[in-house]
Amino acid sequence: MGIIGAFQVFTSAFVLFGGGTGPEDSALFYSFYLYRKAFEQFQIGYGSALAWVLFVIILIFTLIVFRSSSFWVYYEGQKEESAKR
């Protein structure tokens, strides 16, 4: 959940900089850039493509976390199940 939340940082940049950009685009996060392209500059197709890219990136990271969770999460009784087989 933390990885997904990190990719979707929008509110803090929008509130702090009032919809504009910070010094030299320091607050230009990916989701904020997506918002600006789609809804301020009315490039809806480009904004949609950016949203799909964000979806694919989050999907890849989510799959990596799910696949690797058995290495860093301990499930009680996990050794017992493997011994029964």
Side-chain angles (χ1 to χ4, degrees):
M1 294 303 290
I3 293 172
I4 294 171
F7 279 111
Q8 296 177 345
V9 174
F10 173 78
T11 309
S12 58
F14 189 76
V15 169
L16 288 174
F17 296 101
T21 58
E24 299 180 15
D25 292 334
S26 63
L28 194 57
F29 296 106
Y30 189 84
S31 59
F32 190 52
Y33 179 71
L34 189 153
Y35 169 79
R36 288 180 60 198
K37 286 295 182 183
F39 300 111
E40 288 181 1
Q41 298 174 3
F42 300 111
Q43 296 178 353
I44 303 299
Y46 187 67
S48 176
L50 288 173
W52 275 105
V53 169
L54 180 62
F55 172 73
V56 169
I57 290 171
I58 290 173
L59 179 68
I60 289 170
F61 275 100
T62 303
L63 290 175
I64 289 171
V65 168
F66 278 140
R67 297 284 182 191
S68 68
S69 67
S70 64
F71 297 114
W72 49 273
V73 175
Y74 173 72
Y75 294 106
E76 187 175 349
Q78 185 174 11
K79 290 184 179 182
E80 294 172 9
E81 290 177 10
S82 62
K84 290 179 183 178
R85 291 180 188 176

